[in-house]
Amino acid sequence: MTRRTDAAAPSAGPRWRRLPTPALIAVLTALVGLIDIVTAISHRPIRWTWIGRLIPGMITDAAAGTSVGAGLLLVGLAHGLRRRKRRAWRAAVALSGAAVLLDLARGLAVIPALVDLVPFTVLLATRQHFHAAGDPRTRWRALGALAALGAADLLIGLTLIRFRHGRGGATDQVLHILAGLIGISGPVRFGPGDGNLVASVLLALGVVTVGVTGYLALRPARPVAALAGDDCARLRALLTRHGGRDSLSYAALRRDNSVLWSPTGKAAITYRVVGGVALACGDPIGDPEAWPGVIGPFLELAAAHAWVPAAVGCGPDGGRAWQRAGLRVLELGDEAVVCPGEFCLDSPPMHGVRQAVDQVERAGHTARIDRIGDLTDDDRATLAERASAWRARGAIRGCATALGRVGAAEDADCVVVRAFHGERLCGLVTFLPWGRDGLSLDVVRLDRAAAVGLTEFMLVAVLRDAKRLGVTRVSLTFAAFRAALARGERLGASPALRLWRHMLLAASRWFQIESLYRFNARFDPSWQPRYVCWPANRDLPRVLVAAVRAEVLLPHPSFPRPALGSRRRPPAMDEFAAADDAQASAAASRDLALSAAGGHRGAAAGPTGPARTRPDIDSAGRD
């Protein structure tokens, strides 16, 4: 777990504003790495002096092969150099220095050696820029490295065979490359001397691929976070006093969060690191007066690791706090909040919801509403088992703010709505506590054969039973860019606003932005703005990409299925899902698959859902 307090934070000022120098050095290093690869595979060594002519051909071939591997690693290290990672700097210095020696071993190739000397010298001269600590480690990076290096090996191998005039078809060339990576001669034939060079280069690439992948797979894992029991107890104490400020607060108890405390312990920030971006979701936890005492160390912690600090889905108070700390703020969308005391299913705006609920009730469905703490151990086990089974029917999506578990005894104040058809459990909805008098929608899980409108039926059930539960407000989902969609369809909207709305509608084919907005609007909620905060304009795309990765909101492609004589059901709101806690990792997921009345079935939520694209969604769970 990455954990830090003010007392341990660096005393320097805000250093999260990145200098351009490391980025330029990264480009230079990658460029020199590419030059090393090209010069090693495309040209024969030039033996300028009698010393060069004395170097055996076997050594020059081995040096050329090793140069290709060193160049490939230099290209791979460019990303770490851009992020000012100290480990990447050390490795780049060692590799660029070794590349100089390898160039000299290739028959005293002076010009390539001078080229490799440039990044070596520049890296040594700018070492003060590379101070960032390493990122938390997971073994999943080994798979990514294997895929990237494998693709690079294939590309370099095909290029090498072309430059060395290998004789063989495309299949033979691929087989030759695969065999050469493990030191075996393949079916492609070369002229005198070329075959040895190709074999040396391919073997060097194989060693690099196996070595890097093996290192990443076997090194000790240091996950992004594992919320400790002490942290949980302290966070629960803060939530008891201040949990009513933000509907996302209870999700701070997610077990794969990192937590950062203020020195007084009156405030905390829970976050996760995605693609070099430290994402804090929702407002800081605790007393607002203590928020600056934890926001400052959070920015310094991000600077120490070269992370981009960002807050996604914060409310107005949190947005102002982050803005005072120097971050930029942009309205991301609106959270739908329903007041049960004002909710009336018989009102005209509720026509679509009333129709869906009536249909489910006529089919004989019933709903049971309980606090998790009131269920028996068997009931909680059944709840977790059913939620896991229904989630497993489809793709699991990522989440940044869902609780990540269903039916845990420690979440006694959570509310679960179970829908039954006779004695068969066919759907469930869970809500997180929002202070003492509120609920926040967490997950929805439906059986594949569940009736259309079952989600609306369960949501209406909890709104009807709100008085018994002591609930005066219920938070539904987050609608990204709702204001633009609503204003853009009004009479007299400006051309720019209409154009922006049309762009959002086009994006809804993949992100279901409009469908989510329409579904929320059916409950006639009040809309509460949510914001995204980031340090500099150049970081905004990276922050949004990290948010999308955290939510995994992009829909999985699928092929349409034939109707087989049955008519496709009209859409309502599909399923939400929250990852169970047993093996949940930092990639534990969430997504939304939903659609509005009369629309089409959705596959994902808005493009930056951490603010409120509620939970892990199993979009393929129902057809």
Side-chain angles (χ1 to χ4, degrees):
M1 176 183 65
T2 305
R3 187 178 173 205
R4 197 182 177 104
T5 63
D6 279 291
S11 58
R15 299 181 300 169
W16 47 266
R17 290 185 174 87
R18 295 173 295 157
L19 297 175
T21 304
L24 295 176
I25 296 173
V27 172
L28 173 64
T29 304
L31 180 61
V32 171
L34 289 174
I35 292 174
D36 285 342
I37 295 173
V38 173
T39 55
I41 68 177
S42 62
H43 299 288
R44 299 183 183 277
I46 301 175
R47 304 169 184 269
W48 285 17
T49 66
W50 64 272
I51 299 178
R53 290 191 293 270
L54 291 178
I55 300 176
M58 181 178 63
I59 293 180
T60 60
D61 290 343
T66 309
S67 293
V68 174
L72 185 60
L73 291 176
L74 284 174
V75 174
L77 288 171
H79 177 67
L81 292 175
R82 184 179 63 82
R83 297 181 57 201
R84 299 170 297 166
K85 295 297 183 181
R86 188 69 177 178
R87 291 176 182 171
W89 176 84
R90 291 170 180 167
V93 168
L95 282 172
S96 57
V100 174
L101 300 179
L102 291 171
D103 291 331
L104 297 177
R106 289 193 290 123
L108 292 183
V110 178
I111 295 179
L114 292 176
V115 172
D116 284 321
L117 192 61
V118 173
F120 179 78
T121 305
V122 171
L123 286 168
L124 288 178
T126 59
R127 58 185 177 274
Q128 70 276 7
H129 292 298
F130 302 94
H131 54 77
D135 287 345
R137 302 189 295 258
T138 67
R139 293 187 176 91
W140 287 105
R141 293 187 179 181
L143 293 179
L146 179 61
L149 290 174
D153 293 344
L154 183 61
L155 178 61
I156 293 174
L158 293 174
T159 305
L160 179 64
I161 292 174
R162 177 182 177 85
F163 275 112
R164 296 298 166 179
H165 308 292
R167 296 184 296 276
T171 302
D172 289 340
Q173 291 181 17
V174 173
L175 292 176
H176 190 94
I177 293 170
L178 296 178
L181 293 176
I182 57 176
I184 301 175
S185 178
V188 178
R189 295 293 173 257
F190 300 91
D194 287 334
N196 293 333
L197 176 61
V198 172
S200 298
V201 171
L202 291 178
L203 180 59
L205 291 176
V207 171
V208 169
T209 301
V210 173
V212 173
T213 304
Y215 169 74
L216 294 177
L218 297 177
R219 66 178 178 172
R222 191 174 61 198
V224 127
L227 205 60
D230 178 61
D231 288 323
C232 286
R234 295 175 66 186
L235 285 173
R236 287 184 184 277
L238 284 183
L239 291 174
T240 300
R241 296 192 295 270
H242 304 285
R245 294 184 177 276
D246 186 10
S247 61
L248 296 181
S249 295
Y250 195 85
L253 297 175
R254 186 182 176 91
R255 291 171 183 166
D256 55 5
N257 274 341
S258 297
V259 61
L260 179 68
W261 291 95
S262 68
T264 61
K266 293 183 178 180
I269 289 176
T270 57
Y271 65 96
R272 60 192 312 181
V273 179
V274 180
V277 177
L279 286 173
C281 298
D283 294 344
I285 310 298
D287 187 351
E289 294 184 0
W291 288 357
V294 70
I295 290 177
F298 177 76
L299 298 180
E300 292 175 348
L301 178 63
H305 290 268
W307 296 331
V308 175
V312 185
C314 56
D317 293 339
R320 282 188 285 269
W322 288 106
Q323 188 177 51
R324 285 193 292 269
L327 269 63
R328 302 170 187 266
V329 180
L330 175 69
E331 183 173 338
L332 189 60
D334 296 273
E335 173 187 9
V337 178
V338 178
C339 296
E342 302 173 2
F343 179 79
C344 179
L345 192 60
D346 296 327
S347 62
M350 294 292 105
H351 174 73
V353 176
R354 182 172 64 252
Q355 214 172 22
V357 172
D358 289 344
Q359 180 180 349
V360 174
E361 288 178 340
R362 286 195 301 269
H365 289 78
T366 58
R368 302 177 192 173
I369 305 172
D370 302 281
R371 297 277 183 182
I372 294 294
D374 296 332
L375 299 178
T376 64
D377 291 341
D378 290 341
D379 288 338
R380 287 194 293 267
T382 300
L383 196 67
E385 187 274 329
R386 286 289 82 202
S388 178
W390 290 333
R391 180 200 65 193
R393 294 181 186 274
I396 302 174
R397 306 296 177 84
C399 70
T401 56
L403 185 59
R405 55 183 180 265
V406 176
E410 62 195 89
D411 303 314
D413 291 333
C414 291
V415 171
V416 59
V417 184
R418 293 173 292 169
F420 292 87
H421 189 251
E423 294 299 322
R424 182 177 66 88
L425 179 64
C426 53
L428 62 92
V429 178
T430 61
F431 292 85
L432 305 181
W434 179 10
R436 299 180 182 275
D437 62 345
L439 294 177
S440 179
L441 182 61
D442 185 38
V443 329
V444 177
R445 296 283 175 84
L446 302 177
D447 188 357
R448 185 185 295 272
V452 174
L454 192 63
T455 301
E456 290 90 335
F457 171 73
M458 290 187 286
L459 294 179
V460 169
V462 79
L463 292 172
R464 286 171 168 172
D465 205 31
K467 185 175 181 179
R468 180 183 67 85
L469 297 170
V471 171
T472 61
R473 51 186 178 169
V474 176
S475 172
L476 298 180
T477 60
F478 168 81
F481 308 113
R482 181 207 66 87
L485 290 171
R487 291 196 297 264
E489 64 183 351
R490 292 176 184 170
L491 181 66
S494 66
L497 189 56
R498 289 186 180 275
L499 176 61
W500 176 226
R501 179 176 178 271
H502 284 305
M503 293 173 61
L504 293 175
L505 294 180
S508 294
R509 297 179 181 180
W510 296 276
F511 295 102
Q512 294 304 312
I513 301 171
E514 184 193 22
S515 294
L516 184 56
Y517 159 55
R518 299 295 182 192
F519 183 88
N520 287 333
R522 295 171 67 194
F523 289 85
D524 194 24
S526 61
W527 299 99
Q528 307 296 328
R530 289 280 174 171
Y531 303 90
V532 58
C533 308
W534 74 100
N537 286 335
R538 64 175 176 269
D539 296 317
L540 181 58
R542 189 175 174 187
V543 169
L544 295 181
V545 169
V548 171
R549 287 182 57 189
E551 298 294 326
V552 194
L553 295 177
L554 288 173
H556 291 194
S558 60
F559 294 98
R561 300 182 180 181
L564 297 178
S566 62
R567 188 175 61 182
R568 185 180 178 91
R569 290 189 302 228
M573 185 177 186
D574 228 38
E575 23 188 299
F576 302 77
D580 300 322
D581 64 285
Q583 301 295 331
S585 65
S589 56
R590 151 181 107 179
D591 177 58
L592 281 169
L594 53 86
S595 57
H600 55 277
R601 186 170 304 282
T608 44
R612 234 342 153 171
T613 0
R614 274 315 201 178
D616 298 297
I617 303 290
D618 177 358
S619 66
R622 295 176 58 197
D623 297 322

